[in-house]
Amino acid sequence: METENVARRKLRVCVATCNRADYSKLAPIMFGLKSQPELFELEVVVLGSHLIDDYGNTFRMIEQDEFDIGTKLHTIVRGEDEAAMVESVGLALVKLPDMLQRLAPDVLIVHGDRFDALALATAAALMNIRILHLEGGEVSGTIDDSIRHAISKLAHYHAVCTRSAERHLIAMCEDHSRILLAGCPSYDKLLSAHKRDDYADIIKAWLGDSVKEQDYIVALQHPVTTDIKNSIKIYELMLDALMSFNKKTLILFPNIDAGSKELVRVLRRKGVEQHPNFRAVKHVPFDQFIQLVAHAGCMVGNSSCGVREAGAFGTPVINLGTRQTGRETGENVLHVRDADTQNKIYHALELQFGKRYPCSKIYGDGNAVPRILKFLQSIDMSEPLQKTFCFPTVWECISQDIDHILEMQSALAVDLGGTNLRVAIVSMKGKLVKKYTQPNPKTFEERIEVILSMCKQAIADAVHQNCRVLGVGVSTGGRVNPKEGVVLDSTKLIREWAGVNVRTPVSSALHLPVWVDNDGNCAALAEKKFGHGKGMENFVTVITGTGIGGGIIQHGELIHGSTFCAAELGHIMVALEGPECSCGSHGCIEAFASGLALQREAKRLHDEDLLLVEGMSVSNKEQVNAADLIHAAHLGNSKAEAVLHTAGTALGVGIVNILHTVNPSLVVLSGILAKHYEGPVCQVIRQRALSSARDIRVVTSDLEEPALLGAASMVLDYATRRTY
């Protein structure tokens, strides 16, 4: 009986694949479903061009992936023209009802915008089978748009790749609670698989032993069914330009849309299959194809692979014609929409060939499949099957917060201290979902390696914590150029950390945007988003810890200065003569009031036998620190009290200078020494500040982790402005 109950809870999911392109998106989901037999029962249906020899009999790659194909449906009427497409839809509608009735799936997964997929969605909707549509809401420049949107209207659930696609579906009156912003499933494989060690062997196998990485072209051009005549012209011009460009080219046959027969005739008339610079193929296995695209000197044509998958590798792309008009693209794509001359295409090849671009994450972050599987599990089969449409004003439906779907928008925060290196997953509301700590290595290489290792672990954990990681924020000591993500000068506590580009290695490895700033500035940002500075236009944060630092917010923005050394508050001079500071000068606030300064004075008093009073004991003078000085002062040690009074006065005088310079409406004291300094600072302000500045509020921060929260705020404030 228990076994029967478990079986009833399984969700029977039918995945229908029509061609090589949609299988690359569906396969990761199929592997995910297959890996959880206790939750899902997978049925695989193959139809369309998968079963045609001229298009490579690509159903064999599904069998090679060890999937059991339960049903094969021959649904293509040959002719490769508009009438053949219509007849193919009709033939599929004749054959599909028997299959769907026999399999009786709970959910049918349909991908994209092909006419085969329209037949699948139509049949399933009429037979009261729930439909999950992948990659709806996107925009391109052909009849595919109409088909894609028609399938979306038939579908009950949606898994989209981008924020714009999500907004389009909302504008189409789809229920927001049934839309999952998942990312593209193929990116789950792309972002890791393209770094295979055997890519050189794959290049040689398809293009010859003499061909090197980034010294060849991948070409893939499909017909535009609404303008076949112009499609043929562009195809001819592309082939002529490629022949003139004289680089080894792997060219794939077009898909089965109307007009493909004419394109193949052009290819053969020009002798491409016999040309020494060309290798014409009907199909390349997806795992090998991504290697070829990742390491190509350029990709040319109008395939969606160019504007989507190629961006994951930074491969330069030339997009010809209007087939992808409206799609979101990375900076790697150069559009030649009016490709009416060979010279235009040739010039584009000259501009793009051999370039490398930053990896683009517009279409996914590598975690789409876990999200989709969780989404499938959340489907309530007892809910009414009838779709309901939402008719709100569009902009009222759009929300940056997708908590009500499945996930919390989150950031990875990294804090580089002198002793420890910390990473945390931080939610939009400032909650530290999970924190990781390791000793900070002494060398640059080891430090970057540890950062990447901790971040990768956090990203993996974030999926299980229902968190979507939008980017990485790094808080570090020293002078930082946040525009470039470069640490210009480091503190003495962190070695091999000057003149270091932090953004590039972290962003390249994690495929996430990265922000870097000074720890004092991060503390100010933390207060602005989560603390006392929330809603304040002008305030100053002063960190009182091992050193003295801080950040200045003016008109709601962080002040960096012309050489990125604004808000070096610890190095405001408060005495012409005074203790030597770590910066090499004398009389700075930091030389009087920092934790290191207090430790220095504690050791001096201890060496002179003036530190300890009744109730205190220190076993080893090397262990004497600022805490011992504060303890002694609280127990009535007049010498310790005098040191703290001097330190508090020095900090107060420095803050008075800040009040007279930038006139903030609030001063936030942060760090482990803040609570000890709040009283003395307020007293100095009352005694020494101008009357117009005496009433400015001074408070102690309530934030436990200002550096981590500030690092996260850079991501949460700016990443949500991006279209992802």
Side-chain angles (χ1 to χ4, degrees):
M1 188 59 135
E2 187 176 345
T3 305
E4 289 178 4
N5 289 337
V6 173
R8 284 196 199 107
R9 289 198 296 272
K10 284 187 180 181
L11 194 70
R12 178 174 288 185
V13 181
C14 178
V15 179
T17 172
C18 310
N19 54 61
R20 68 191 180 197
D22 76 12
Y23 181 64
S24 69
K25 316 294 178 64
L26 292 168
I29 300 173
M30 292 161 65
F31 279 114
L33 293 167
K34 187 178 178 182
S35 70
Q36 300 187 40
E38 71 283 2
L39 297 175
F40 303 105
E41 183 179 336
L42 174 63
E43 295 286 351
V44 179
V45 175
V46 172
L47 64 158
S49 60
H50 272 310
L51 302 171
I52 298 178
D53 181 61
D54 286 352
Y55 295 90
N57 278 329
T58 48
F59 73 90
R60 294 196 182 100
M61 67 183 178
I62 304 172
E63 294 175 335
Q64 288 168 1
D65 285 340
E66 299 183 352
F67 288 112
D68 294 327
I69 300 177
T71 306
K72 294 177 183 174
L73 293 179
H74 292 269
T75 58
I76 296 298
V77 176
R78 301 303 300 271
E80 285 77 23
D81 58 15
E82 295 93 334
M85 289 170 63
V86 177
E87 290 168 356
S88 296
V89 171
L91 180 59
L93 286 171
V94 170
K95 294 186 174 185
L96 283 169
D98 286 341
M99 179 273 292
L100 292 173
Q101 200 165 38
R102 173 170 52 83
L103 296 181
D106 296 317
V107 178
L108 173 70
I109 298 181
V110 177
H111 170 269
D113 49 28
R114 309 297 301 141
F115 57 84
D116 323 68
L118 177 61
L120 281 161
T122 302
L126 292 172
M127 295 183 71
N128 291 325
I129 295 169
R130 297 169 196 268
I131 302 165
L132 171 61
H133 184 207
L134 304 181
E135 300 187 5
E138 296 184 16
V139 177
S140 58
T142 69
I143 190 65
D144 294 351
D145 264 356
S146 300
I147 294 175
R148 186 185 310 109
H149 300 330
I151 296 171
S152 292
K153 300 312 296 178
L154 293 168
H156 303 80
Y157 307 95
H158 311 272
V160 300
C161 297
T162 69
R163 178 72 65 185
S164 291
E166 179 188 34
R167 289 170 177 160
H168 293 156
L169 287 179
I170 294 169
M172 290 164 61
C173 305
E174 293 299 308
D175 186 345
H176 198 180
S177 68
R178 294 191 173 195
I179 304 171
L180 171 68
L181 179 55
C184 181
S186 64
Y187 267 59
D188 289 25
K189 190 171 184 179
L190 292 178
L191 295 179
S192 57
H194 78 279
K195 295 182 179 179
R196 276 171 46 172
D197 294 333
D198 63 345
Y199 70 86
D201 295 332
I202 294 171
I203 294 171
K204 289 178 182 178
W206 289 97
L207 289 155
D209 293 341
S210 62
V211 179
K212 304 298 182 185
E213 178 183 9
Q214 296 182 27
D215 197 34
Y216 62 91
I217 296 169
V218 175
L220 180 52
Q221 180 87 358
H222 299 302
V224 176
T225 55
T226 51
D227 192 0
I228 295 174
K229 184 177 179 181
N230 193 47
S231 294
I232 297 169
K233 177 184 176 183
I234 292 175
Y235 196 66
E236 288 188 276
L237 295 173
M238 179 189 76
L239 293 177
D240 291 340
L242 288 169
M243 288 177 179
S244 300
F245 199 67
N246 199 30
K247 287 290 181 182
K248 201 74 173 180
T249 301
L250 179 74
I251 185 166
L252 280 80
F253 277 58
N255 64 20
I256 201 169
D257 281 351
S260 62
K261 186 167 55 178
E262 287 81 357
L263 298 191
V264 173
R265 286 198 190 111
V266 170
L267 182 144
R268 288 178 171 152
R269 188 176 71 244
K270 290 184 174 290
V272 168
E273 290 170 296
Q274 292 77 41
H275 196 287
N277 273 351
F278 284 82
R279 173 81 191 278
V281 298
K282 296 176 180 176
H283 169 66
V284 179
F286 182 67
D287 59 339
Q288 297 183 38
F289 181 66
I290 62 176
Q291 302 297 320
L292 293 165
V293 172
H295 299 284
C298 182
M299 185 174 184
V300 62
N302 65 1
S303 168
S304 62
C305 176
V307 299
R308 296 169 65 100
E309 283 82 357
F313 320 123
T315 301
V317 172
I318 300 167
N319 179 50
L320 302 178
T322 60
R323 188 171 185 263
Q324 302 301 334
T325 297
R327 283 207 193 268
E328 298 166 78
T329 64
E331 60 183 290
N332 64 309
V333 179
L334 176 63
H335 297 279
V336 187
R337 293 189 178 90
D338 188 15
D340 55 353
T341 68
Q342 176 186 335
N343 284 341
K344 278 187 183 179
I345 301 173
Y346 187 90
H347 184 55
L349 286 166
E350 288 183 316
L351 290 172
Q352 287 285 77
F353 186 80
K355 276 190 177 181
R356 254 23 225 171
Y357 291 90
C359 298
S360 168
K361 286 205 58 190
I362 294 172
Y363 286 96
D365 62 359
N367 292 304
V369 172
R371 295 187 185 110
I372 291 170
L373 297 186
K374 189 171 288 187
F375 191 58
L376 285 169
Q377 291 176 53
S378 72
I379 292 175
D380 184 357
M381 296 301 294
S382 65
E383 281 185 345
L385 185 66
Q386 176 61 49
K387 280 188 69 170
T388 56
F389 298 101
C390 303
F391 298 95
T393 306
V394 172
W395 50 87
E396 291 178 356
C397 289
I398 298 172
S399 171
Q400 292 291 351
D401 184 357
I402 59 171
D403 288 1
H404 61 286
I405 301 174
L406 282 179
E407 299 169 309
M408 295 182 291
Q409 289 182 331
S410 307
L412 283 192
V414 180
D415 176 35
L416 286 113
T419 305
N420 290 322
L421 199 163
R422 302 183 302 155
V423 171
I425 305 169
V426 182
S427 75
M428 184 66 79
K429 295 179 180 179
K431 177 186 175 183
L432 269 66
V433 178
K434 195 165 184 178
K435 189 165 68 173
Y436 312 78
T437 304
Q438 287 195 29
N440 193 345
K442 301 302 181 185
T443 67
F444 168 75
E445 290 79 8
E446 291 176 324
R447 189 172 297 123
I448 290 294
E449 186 177 343
V450 171
I451 290 172
L452 293 178
S453 174
M454 294 173 73
C455 287
K456 287 175 182 176
Q457 181 61 54
I459 289 169
D461 292 344
V463 176
H464 302 294
Q465 297 285 344
N466 288 340
C467 294
R468 170 183 291 277
V469 175
L470 300 175
V472 181
V474 180
S475 166
T476 178
R479 187 166 64 98
V480 176
N481 177 346
K483 295 178 181 178
E484 303 294 333
V486 173
V487 180
L488 301 172
D489 303 304
S490 178
T491 64
K492 293 181 179 179
L493 296 174
I494 308 177
R495 299 177 187 171
E496 295 190 21
W497 204 239
V500 168
N501 185 329
V502 179
R503 174 180 294 158
T504 298
V506 177
S507 181
S508 297
L510 302 180
H511 303 286
L512 287 169
V514 175
W515 286 263
V516 187
D517 213 329
N518 165 270
D519 50 6
N521 289 335
C522 285
L525 291 173
E527 293 296 334
K528 178 176 181 288
K529 188 165 184 67
F530 303 113
H532 292 294
K534 195 170 184 179
M536 304 288 289
E537 282 288 306
N538 304 288
F539 70 93
V540 173
T541 297
V542 181
I543 300 178
T544 58
T546 305
I548 301 290
I552 300 171
I553 302 292
Q554 281 284 305
H555 306 298
E557 296 293 334
L558 186 66
I559 302 299
H560 285 100
S562 60
T563 58
F564 312 106
C565 66
E568 286 290 350
L569 307 182
H571 300 293
I572 295 175
M573 293 184 66
V574 292
L576 295 179
E577 299 294 334
E580 184 178 1
C581 181
S582 60
C583 69
S585 185
H586 289 76
C588 300
I589 296 176
E590 191 166 292
F592 286 103
S594 68
L596 289 176
L598 297 185
Q599 182 180 43
R600 180 194 69 225
E601 292 301 302
K603 287 182 177 180
R604 179 181 63 78
L605 291 176
H606 188 266
D607 290 343
E608 296 172 3
D609 291 328
L610 298 174
L611 178 67
L612 300 183
V613 296
E614 186 177 349
M616 286 186 66
S617 63
V618 178
S619 59
N620 186 331
K621 70 175 183 179
E622 292 301 318
Q623 295 176 342
V624 172
N625 54 38
D628 296 312
L629 184 78
I630 293 168
H631 188 200
H634 287 168
L635 292 175
N637 185 324
S638 60
K639 299 289 186 182
E641 288 175 343
V643 171
L644 285 181
H645 180 267
T646 300
T649 301
L651 181 61
V653 170
I655 290 176
V656 167
N657 290 334
I658 296 170
L659 301 184
H660 294 168
T661 304
V662 296
N663 192 215
S665 53
L666 173 71
V667 175
V668 182
L669 299 180
S670 181
I672 57 174
L673 298 174
K675 62 182 180 180
H676 303 292
Y677 284 142
E678 183 178 352
V681 166
C682 289
Q683 185 176 0
V684 172
I685 291 174
R686 286 194 297 270
Q687 294 171 348
R688 304 198 183 196
L690 294 172
S691 58
S692 56
R694 285 177 193 161
D695 294 331
I696 289 171
R697 202 158 53 101
V698 178
V699 297
T700 299
S701 175
D702 295 328
L703 303 179
E704 293 184 10
E705 298 285 0
L708 288 172
L709 291 174
S713 75
M714 292 189 287
V715 178
L716 299 173
D717 279 345
Y718 294 103
T720 52
R721 299 180 188 176
R722 298 168 65 247
T723 297
Y724 168 36

